[in-house]
Amino acid sequence: MRVGLIVDSACDLPFEFSRRNNLFILPVTARIDGQTYVDDHDPVKTAEFYDSGLLQKGHHAETEAYSAGQIHDLFLNEIVTQYDVAFCETVTRSRSRIFQNATEAMNSVMAHYHDAREAAGREGKFSMRVIDSKQIFAGQGLLAAHTLRLIDQKLSKNALRQQVEDFTDQIFTAVIPRDLHYIRERARRRGDKSVSAVVAFLGKALNITPVLFGKGAEGKPVAKTRNFDAAVEKVMNYAVGRIEAGLLTPYVSLSCGLSWEEIEALPGLDQLRETCARHNVELLLSQMGITSSIYIGPGSLCLSLAAEEHDFSDHQ
């Protein structure tokens, strides 16, 4: 039984990790300042996007998920013909239409896959499941890495589905938004009033950098720091402490809306690497993709791990 894993372009993972594990990416289209980018995690495109400076205008960007019809064609041509079972993990349905579109596409594919499969010379039935990851960015990456680990265990498709869905409720994410004004303006254009003008003003005037923390995409402020480096140190300390206390999967996912030079200079990164190495944990370090960097803004950081119930303050 050949099992395939599909994620969308809001899922942040190192490119080589995705390539090595044959992850299939559902693209998102981004339009900024008259230019169009199809975010399929191509590292060259991502580097060009960062170098262009367009991210500074990202709060004006229009992002568009592939339609159900486009996803149907991708599933039929690229997935049905290669795999016997497929799982599609999408960004949380509360932030995007991708889950809805992928589910509609899956239902259509399941009714019409037989001819495409026969033409490709693949025998037997095909089955598929679309799963709401309940995550964003690094959290999606962590779920994908854990799913690949489960696939390697040769579980039945029902056991695999159940374990993946259960795992979505065990992922904790810390986010550092670099520019609260960007977040507020981006949210306002999308009709999300969760970031008030007062908070954005205070962040700019007082140089406050918050740390948001919680399960999945439902983060709340847990710290306010005077600058970005101080916020990064808090998140790194949290990750180190949580690794030492124990994780539920041997991965930590860290994505950054920064250049690679800036990423390598992050305070506490070396200590995080050393702690991961001591505990046989793989650090999935990546530059944020186009989709996630537009959503959360330039210079931001997102870290995810899976663990038993705990508070951010437990590891400070």
Side-chain angles (χ1 to χ4, degrees), residues 220-278:
K220 296 180 180 180
V222 292
K224 293 181 180 179
T225 61
R226 298 294 296 185
N227 55 61
F228 179 72
D229 282 356
V232 172
E233 287 179 350
K234 282 187 173 293
V235 171
M236 295 296 184
N237 288 340
Y238 158 75
V240 166
R242 190 59 246 183
I243 292 167
E244 291 174 343
L247 300 178
L248 297 178
T249 195
Y251 302 103
V252 170
S253 180
L254 174 60
S255 65
C256 311
L258 302 163
S259 70
W260 278 108
E261 287 184 354
E262 292 170 320
I263 291 172
E264 290 299 332
L266 287 172
L269 180 59
D270 287 344
Q271 183 185 7
L272 176 59
R273 281 179 166 146
E274 291 168 4
T275 305
C276 285
R278 285 202 316 272

Side-chain angles (χ1 to χ4, degrees), residues 96-135:
S96 171
R97 290 182 55 86
I98 296 177
F99 175 84
Q100 179 180 335
N101 291 353
T103 299
E104 184 178 333
M106 175 194 68
N107 291 335
S108 177
V109 164
M110 291 304 298
H112 302 98
Y113 73 80
H114 302 86
D115 289 346
R117 193 165 173 83
E118 183 177 346
R122 295 204 68 88
E123 299 180 351
K125 295 182 178 180
F126 172 78
S127 63
M128 188 172 191
R129 181 80 174 193
V130 177
I131 296 174
D132 176 7
S133 74
K134 304 178 186 177
Q135 311 299 319

Side-chain angles (χ1 to χ4, degrees), residues 24 28-29 34 36 42 54 101 114 144 161 198-199 209 236 267 285:
F24 187 87
V28 169
T29 300
T36 299
D42 182 307
L54 283 176
N101 291 353
H114 302 86
R161 174 190 59 79
V198 174
V199 171
T209 302
M236 295 296 184
L285 177 62

